């Protein structure tokens, strides 16, 4: 499997051309230096990734680690809570008491916090030692946080398989979740407006064009998905779809339980599904990124981190031209692969 090869290509990096980077930074106001393209697929990441790439690729991993990986806005938070609850024998009290951000260090988040933004956040929170401590916590390099915490560790990442430690799947478990890219892009657009580390100030159509031209963080989207898809038969990989979680959550819960060798009664599963419902998630301070809001990293007035929680909302955002572009782009990228979104199985064959 490509992602399992121990090669150095994964860490080869090129700066995005200065003129293009300058143009992009007019839209993404949280970045102040530029961007890099990483590895043979040219994954697009902030310039600060240069500092962290090798630490991440070479990080020591442990057999009982569980990684939840995805392209952003694919249902990561939902999957994280589901996986954590199953792995921790449905410990509601602990899930309630410890925010998800603490239970799951976000491996590469620190590269998204440009020093200029960090300085701003520090200044703005300087009246409270507690907040400054929280800020240090959420912006510390993921590898450093992870080196300290006891096993079993839970890790959130949006990095593709090829940028993660090459022995990851042969050592630890990975749950990957994928979502229809049209819903991903709408959801990510709102997040990029919401979160000051990205600080997107353009309109949706411009954003969509950056996304399909791979001029956006963690793209190319389909390469990301296909790398994980190619590993789906590995016994340590569980590949989920957001749309399947939406359609039949109990079945996805059972799949996660089987993957983690856990058994629950139907009542326990029903209670967990209730806990995981979008309505409960919106009001659950442990999962809804309240910490980021408290630190002023989220812009008031924009749509929340846990937003609509539905499949198919993209139709309200796409005009005819974008719909056609999307059809072409998806078809081109899926040609010659056996990857299919289950909810589109009859369309893209
Ligand atoms: P929308 O913006 O379309 O609502 P991620 O966690 O990867 O950032 O993904 C965020 C997306 O998952 C958001 O999509 C969010 O609302 C949705 N989501 C989060 N919790 C959910 C839940 N309990 N049920 C359904 N969707 C959920």
């Amino acid at each position: 499997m490509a992602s399992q090869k121990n090669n150095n290509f994964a860490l080869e990096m090129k700066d995005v051309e200065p003129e293009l980077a300058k143009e992009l930074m007019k839209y993404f106001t949280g970045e102040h230096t530029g961007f890099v393209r990483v590895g043979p697929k040219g994954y697009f990441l902030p310039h600060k990734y240069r500092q962290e790439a090798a630490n991440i690729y070479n990080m020591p991993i442990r057999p009982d680690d569980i990684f939840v990986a995805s392209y952003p806005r694919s249902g990561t938070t939902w999957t994280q809570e589901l996986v954590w609850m199953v792995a921790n024998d449905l410990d509601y009290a602990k899930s309630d008491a410890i925010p998800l951000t603490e239970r799951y260090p976000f491996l590469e988040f620190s590269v998204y916090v440009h020093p200029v933004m960090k300085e701003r956040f520090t200044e703005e929170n300087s009246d409270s030692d507690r907040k400054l401590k929280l800020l240090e916590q959420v912006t510390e390099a993921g590898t450093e946080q992870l080196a300290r915490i006891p096993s079993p560790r839970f890790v959130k990442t949006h990095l593709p398989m090829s940028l993660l430690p090459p022995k990851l799947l042969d050592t630890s478990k990975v749950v990957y979740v994928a979502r229809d890219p049209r819903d991903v892009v709408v959801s990510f657009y709102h997040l990029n407006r919401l979160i000051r580390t990205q600080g997107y100030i353009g309109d949706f159509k411009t954003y969509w064009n950056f996304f399909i031209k791979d001029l956006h963080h963690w793209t190319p989207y389909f390469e990301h998905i296909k790398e994980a898809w190619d590993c789906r038969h590995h016994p340590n990989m569980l590949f989920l779809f957001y749309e399947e979680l939406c359609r039949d959550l109990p079945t996805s819960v059972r799949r996660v339980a089987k993957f983690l060798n856990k058994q629950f009664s139907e009542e326990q599963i029903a209670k967990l599904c209730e806990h995981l419902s979008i309505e409960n998630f919106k009001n659950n301070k442990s999962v809804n990124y309240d910490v980021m809001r408290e630190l002023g990293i989220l812009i008031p007035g924009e749509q929340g981190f846990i937003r609509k929680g539905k499949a198919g909302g993209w139709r309200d955002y796409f005009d005819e031209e974008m719909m056609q572009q999307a059809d072409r782009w998806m078809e081109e990228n899926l040609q010659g692969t056996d990857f299919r979104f289950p909810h589109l199985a009859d369309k893209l064959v």
Side-chain angles (χ1 to χ4, degrees):
M1 272 172 268
S3 60
Q4 295 298 295
K5 275 191 222 145
N6 191 356
N7 60 44
N8 294 324
F9 294 127
L11 300 185
E12 273 177 15
M13 276 178 246
K14 277 202 302 257
D15 282 344
V16 166
E17 305 77 351
E19 277 311 304
L20 179 55
K22 210 165 133 196
E23 187 59 25
L24 287 169
M25 283 188 286
K26 286 186 195 155
Y27 289 92
F28 293 93
T29 60
E31 179 55 52
H32 295 259
T33 304
F35 310 91
V36 286
R37 291 197 181 279
V38 189
K41 312 254 169 70
Y43 285 109
F44 185 103
L45 287 149
H47 193 267
K48 203 176 161 197
Y49 184 70
R50 282 185 176 279
Q51 290 169 30
E52 278 302 310
N55 292 342
I56 292 174
Y57 194 72
N58 299 316
M59 73 185 266
I61 38 177
R62 307 177 191 166
D64 48 5
D65 286 343
I66 302 181
F67 280 61
V68 172
S70 61
Y71 188 85
R73 306 309 279 172
S74 300
T76 328
T77 316
W78 201 10
T79 306
Q80 282 175 267
E81 181 67 354
L82 160 50
V83 165
W84 190 93
M85 287 299 284
V86 168
N88 287 278
D89 300 313
L90 311 178
D91 192 341
Y92 289 94
K94 199 167 170 191
S95 138
D96 213 39
I98 310 176
L100 197 68
T101 42
E102 237 175 89
R103 285 182 273 144
Y104 274 87
F106 183 174
L107 189 54
E108 70 277 19
F109 183 66
S110 65
V111 309
Y112 283 90
V113 186
H114 192 278
V116 169
M117 299 309 287
K118 175 80 182 283
E119 209 178 303
R120 266 182 219 168
F121 299 147
T122 304
E123 237 173 74
E124 291 166 12
N125 288 290
S126 60
D127 57 334
S128 158
D129 286 345
R130 187 185 61 82
K131 285 194 194 169
L132 286 178
K133 213 169 138 203
L134 267 178
L135 181 66
E136 283 312 313
Q137 226 173 52
V138 296
T139 56
E140 186 189 10
T143 49
E144 283 169 29
Q145 295 177 49
L146 285 161
R148 267 200 319 267
I149 66 174
S151 296
R153 303 183 302 182
F154 294 82
V155 184
K156 166 184 175 174
T157 184
H158 292 314
L159 290 175
M161 295 300 289
S162 60
L163 302 189
L164 293 171
K167 293 264 186 300
L168 179 62
L169 266 189
D170 291 333
T171 312
S172 322
K173 287 192 159 38
V174 178
V175 180
Y176 187 95
V177 60
R179 185 183 191 186
D180 188 314
R182 295 165 296 187
D183 278 332
V184 162
V185 77
V186 169
S187 183
F188 210 9
Y189 161 71
H190 283 294
L191 180 72
N192 273 266
R193 296 184 62 95
L194 171 70
I195 192 156
R196 288 167 68 199
T197 50
Q198 309 279 4
Y200 181 72
I201 53 167
D203 61 14
F204 177 67
K205 197 163 184 168
T206 309
Y207 186 88
W208 159 250
N209 277 290
F210 289 146
F211 182 70
I212 53 170
K213 287 184 185 136
D214 303 333
L215 291 172
H216 189 19
H217 294 292
W218 292 281
T219 60
Y221 168 85
F222 273 110
E223 295 302 330
H224 199 297
I225 294 232
K226 284 189 275 189
E227 283 190 9
W229 180 251
D230 286 347
C231 302
R232 72 193 179 284
H233 298 308
H234 193 292
N236 279 341
M237 163 68 90
L238 179 67
F239 196 104
L240 300 173
F241 286 98
Y242 179 86
E243 291 75 15
E244 288 194 334
L245 266 73
C246 287
R247 193 178 53 83
D248 182 357
L249 189 54
T251 297
S252 297
V253 170
R254 282 185 211 105
R255 286 188 66 201
V256 172
K258 188 165 174 234
F259 182 62
L260 300 179
N261 301 314
K262 301 282 181 180
Q263 278 196 326
F264 301 117
S265 69
E266 284 309 300
E267 284 94 304
Q268 284 175 313
I269 291 177
K271 186 176 170 196
L272 177 57
C273 290
E274 182 57 25
H275 172 78
L276 294 170
S277 73
I278 184 78
E279 293 75 25
N280 283 335
F281 250 48
K282 279 188 184 159
N283 298 320
N284 181 344
K285 288 200 176 314
S286 184
V287 303
N288 66 13
Y289 281 74
D290 255 30
V291 176
M292 299 286 188
R293 194 169 293 286
E294 204 190 341
L295 295 174
I297 296 176
L298 304 184
I299 297 175
E302 291 290 343
Q303 298 194 18
F305 190 90
I306 307 293
R307 211 180 53 96
K308 300 270 194 248
K310 298 260 177 307
W314 61 269
R315 287 185 184 82
D316 298 336
Y317 287 76
F318 280 54
D319 61 22
E320 190 53 38
E321 185 192 11
M322 290 155 83
M323 284 192 201
Q324 286 180 15
Q325 267 179 330
D327 283 348
R328 268 200 312 276
W329 175 69
M330 290 168 74
E331 215 174 295
E332 273 165 27
N333 277 284
L334 292 180
Q335 235 169 37
T337 80
D338 60 356
F339 178 86
R340 295 296 174 264
F341 286 101
H343 67 294
L344 301 175
D346 54 336
K347 290 199 188 122
L348 288 159
V349 283

